[in-house]
Amino acid sequence: MLAARKNPKRRATRLRDPQRTRERLLQAAFREVYRSGFQSASLDTILAGAGVTKGALYYHFDSKEALGYAVVEEVIAPDLRGKWLRPLLRGNDPIDALIGIVQGESVRPEDVRGGCPLNNLALEMSPLDEGFRKRLAIVFHAWQEGVAAALREGQTHGSVRRDVEPPDAAGLLIAMLEGYVSLAKNAQDAKVMKAGIRNIVNWLRSLRPPGNRRRG
């Protein structure tokens, strides 16, 4: 198949598209922060990754902190909603849905080495910067509330034990997952994450009413 010819005018138009430029900056910043942490993240590396100038960066973001806040709100938060909350809205059985999400956690070596972007930033920046802390707290809260709402709905349909406290169970699920991600990152060993996934799945099955725990 013949490769399409590059149109210089079209490329120039793309480069002048403010929304595309902003999105490239956000994605490049996310990659650099994930790799190096926010404090060590290099603006030069972000600019090179986005293919834009420093002037373009400061056209869209007043500071490195503003860029970091946008990464939380416009990259990390939507990714979490897509991975966790939308599947819960689509699923009829929240336990089945949660098991599927947890079993879909990556155990690729590069992801084990990198850890969780949300948790990485929370551990690094929440003690240092109130802007980060508040934004990350919003993401964690939405995650916990989304899981809790799904568990409540499951209780009305008989797929979740009535004695389960949905907010507590949701918080425990997040704590277990993030804990295992941190353990695996520290050990640099995917086997730690695989064991964590098995343990979390077994715990999720225990949230089903008696007699309904063999499914999933």
Side-chain angles (χ1 to χ4, degrees), residues 95-114:
I95 304 301
D96 285 343
L98 288 168
I99 288 173
I101 295 167
V102 171
Q103 289 178 331
E105 281 291 315
S106 175
V107 294
R108 297 185 306 173
E110 59 269 32
D111 294 326
V112 170
R113 286 194 299 270

Side-chain angles (χ1 to χ4, degrees), residues 111-140:
D111 294 326
V112 170
R113 286 194 299 270
C116 170
L118 175 62
N119 202 39
N120 290 349
L121 265 178
L123 292 172
E124 179 191 6
M125 297 306 299
S126 290
L128 304 177
D129 186 285
E130 188 67 4
F132 270 108
R133 191 197 66 76
K134 288 181 177 179
R135 287 166 174 83
L136 293 163
I138 288 170
V139 180
F140 277 117

